[in-house]
DNA sequence: CCGAATCTAGTGACTGATCACTTACTTCTG
DNA sequence: CAGAAGTAAGTGATCAGTCACTAGATTCGG
């Protein structure tokens, strides 16, 4: 495998591991094991653990950007916004991307982390602003709602959806999705039950 | 000093230290040093580092709650909302509270952290809902905007306010505040200049 | 009212484990 | 065979948590 291909697979492994413990709480050994390489080779590829973390941050924001741009297609304005909002749930479903991003925000006390996080978030903002052409206030509302969903996903509120305040917090779209998932799960269980019984 | 008083001062020290590195990235030694006690005594008071972290999380949410309740006074509805939104900037100004809370969200991969964070956030939501009596959609918008401000504060966007997208992202109120701070700082610098010159 | 027993606050010195990063090596491939 | 891919075996530092202890206050039986 070429070094570039390796770097790519290490980066993917890193996002998964960093999502659990952040920069300080994740060992290079764990990342190397997941990427199926030796731990010293990880250092040859990325220099330091922090370099790898910074690359992981950039990657999670790039993923978010890619999802949003793809969802918008050649739509603009409110239509593009709706499509993006819909698609953003795909991003939220991958808790590794989301939690790694959370660790990035939390680690902004570090100068390097803050620099990369600012730049990455800025790219995202500018892209959404450019595609939708919305006013600042609308953009603030859009990103604000996105951030609330980030937190909800980080806290895994879907798992405690029976609490009344959680129902309010998640909003109609996610409630519908949860009901849908629930129905699927019930169907699967029933199916399995039939199989077992048969 | 009584053990309870000590616990209180350790908790305050812990929030400051945890805000830099989170659960994994902060040493009990650093916390103990800041609290001016020996490191073993910290363990007598809180059992484990994680227990202390959980207590710190709860405390940061309680602080936020206290600020909002105090700001609302006996107002309700939109008026209470406005007052709370205004006051929330006090919370944002203390980066130790904010970043510790960020570390809590990011660390929600851990079951204990998630439990405490969910509960604390839920208390906050219920309080705001109770005081304002707003509809779910309005609450979502309110908390959403709050979360965006959280991120902005975590990334310290005020420090890079000259970037155009940052101006858009922070909104009118914070821009005005920034201009005000700027004026103050300039006045202070001028004053100091005069003193030096004299 | 004295002193023995008990309790509370607090510490210095240690330990076993973990971890980022290095050195010096091997193996594969064009 | 040159250089790129890849590794085994460390090293020094850090750190959560423990142990065994001291100083002073409080209580209580005689």
């Amino acid at each position: 495998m070429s070094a570039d291909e390796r770097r790519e697979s290490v980066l993917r492994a890193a996002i998964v591991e960093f999502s659990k413990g952040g920069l300080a709480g994740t060992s290079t050994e764990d990342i190397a094991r997941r990427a199926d390489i030796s731990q010293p080779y990880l250092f040859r590829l990325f220099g330091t653990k922090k370099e790898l973390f910074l690359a992981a941050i950039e990657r999670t924001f790039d993923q978010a950007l890619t999802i949003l741009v793809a969802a918008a297609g050649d739509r603009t304005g409110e239509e593009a916004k709706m499509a993006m909002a819909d698609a953003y749930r795909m991003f939220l479903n991958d808790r590794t991307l989301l939690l790694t991003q959370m660790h990035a925000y939390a680690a902004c006390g570090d100068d390097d982390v803050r620099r990369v996080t600012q730049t990455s978030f800025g790219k995202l903002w500018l892209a959404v602003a450019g595609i939708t052409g919305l006013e600042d206030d609308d953009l603030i509302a859009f990103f604000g709602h996105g951030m609330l969903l980030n937190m909800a996903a980080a806290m895994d509120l879907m798992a405690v959806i029976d609490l009344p305040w959680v129902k309010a917090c998640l909003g109609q779209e996610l409630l519908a999705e949860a009901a849908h998932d629930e129905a699927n799960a019930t169907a699967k269980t029933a199916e399995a039950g039939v199989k077992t019984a048969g």
Side-chain angles (χ1 to χ4, degrees), chain A residues 9-102:
Chain A
S9 93
V10 170
L11 200 47
R12 271 202 282 266
I15 288 173
V16 175
E17 293 299 322
F18 279 136
S19 76
K20 300 179 206 163
L23 175 58
T26 305
S27 73
T28 54
E29 183 115 30
D30 284 347
I31 299 171
R33 190 177 309 121
R34 179 173 291 273
D36 222 35
I37 59 163
S38 69
Q39 185 249 20
Y41 193 40
L42 181 151
F43 281 89
R44 162 107 27 123
L45 293 173
F46 283 92
T48 66
K49 182 163 79 150
K50 203 204 245 182
E51 282 301 317
L52 177 53
F53 186 59
L54 297 177
I57 294 175
E58 278 196 294
R59 172 57 61 91
T60 68
F61 277 97
D62 280 352
Q63 290 262 11
L65 185 58
T66 302
I67 288 174
L68 294 185
V69 169
D74 43 19
R75 278 179 280 256
T76 59
E78 279 291 324
E79 269 188 41
K81 186 180 101 172
M82 300 295 202
M84 284 175 165
D86 253 10
Y88 193 64
R89 283 200 281 281
M90 275 173 53
F91 177 78
L92 292 179
N93 277 336
D94 185 343
R95 287 177 48 83
T96 71
L97 288 176
L98 176 76
L99 284 176
T100 298
Q101 220 168 78
M102 283 297 176

Side-chain angles (χ1 to χ4, degrees), chain A residues 83-127:
Chain A
M84 284 175 165
D86 253 10
Y88 193 64
R89 283 200 281 281
M90 275 173 53
F91 177 78
L92 292 179
N93 277 336
D94 185 343
R95 287 177 48 83
T96 71
L97 288 176
L98 176 76
L99 284 176
T100 298
Q101 220 168 78
M102 283 297 176
H103 280 293
Y105 290 119
C108 274
D110 177 281
D111 289 348
D112 298 319
V113 172
R114 189 173 58 250
R115 220 191 48 242
V116 168
T117 306
Q118 282 175 351
T119 306
S120 301
F121 182 83
K123 263 177 68 180
L124 200 59
W125 183 281
L126 287 172

Side-chain angles (χ1 to χ4, degrees), chain A residues 137-177:
Chain A
D137 281 352
D138 289 332
L139 281 174
I140 288 175
F142 179 77
F143 273 88
H145 194 187
M147 290 300 172
L148 180 58
L149 293 180
N150 274 356
M151 303 300 190
M155 286 185 278
D156 200 17
L157 291 188
M158 291 289 259
V160 287
I161 199 148
D162 286 338
L163 300 175
W165 71 266
V166 171
K167 284 206 175 78
C169 174
L170 289 181
Q172 292 308 317
E173 299 89 352
L174 279 173
L175 269 186
E177 191 175 309

